[in-house]
Amino acid sequence: QVQLVESGGGLVQAGGSLRLSCAASGSIFDSNTMGWYRQAPGKQRELVAAKGSNGYTNYADSVKGRFTISRDNAKNTVYLQMNSLKPEDTAVYYCHIRMPSGFRWSDYWGQGTQVTVSS
């Protein structure tokens, strides 16, 4: 089994910064993609940023230039540095990992951490 433990959410004023961390434990394959999704009230969950163990990186257009995803493969940990935060970034942020499982993919999610940006 795989567990994801997130930390770093909170309340910040617009223009401020937060750093989220997520540590994965359990049976982690070396080949994987770790990332962050978010879900605001009344909206669907959306990808924020993802980074593969091979270095591939993907960002949502709305966060490009403001957020940076990084990871420590040795620690199975992924980080999300969020700068120039806006009220519209307010959401529950979920850590995610995708790994190969036979001929399929397995997805695991963290419990979520609240990020609130006040105007």
Side-chain angles (χ1 to χ4, degrees):
Q1 194 56 277
V2 174
Q3 288 188 325
L4 300 173
V5 179
E6 302 139 334
S7 62
L11 173 65
V12 65
Q13 288 187 331
S17 298
L18 282 175
R19 187 185 192 222
L20 305 183
S21 300
C22 173
S25 61
S27 300
I28 309 296
F29 285 91
D30 290 342
S31 175
N32 62 72
T33 298
M34 296 187 74
W36 295 91
Y37 287 70
R38 67 187 180 187
Q39 187 166 18
K43 295 187 177 181
Q44 288 189 330
R45 190 173 297 189
E46 62 176 2
L47 173 70
V48 176
K51 192 171 183 70
S53 51
N54 61 0
Y56 171 79
T57 305
N58 186 31
Y59 290 97
D61 288 342
S62 59
V63 307
K64 285 181 180 177
R66 300 187 299 122
F67 291 10
T68 301
I69 188 170
S70 61
R71 55 185 290 167
D72 183 335
N73 291 335
K75 296 180 179 179
N76 290 320
T77 300
V78 65
Y79 307 94
L80 186 68
Q81 178 66 43
M82 304 184 292
N83 299 328
S84 302
L85 282 160
K86 304 175 181 180
E88 50 264 44
D89 295 317
T90 296
V92 177
Y93 283 69
Y94 295 92
C95 181
H96 170 259
I97 185 170
R98 170 168 284 189
M99 299 184 294
S101 178
F103 296 103
R104 303 171 62 183
W105 295 98
S106 290
D107 294 284
Y108 299 90
W109 296 90
Q111 78 283 1
T113 184
Q114 178 70 46
V115 172
T116 302
V117 184
S118 62
S119 57

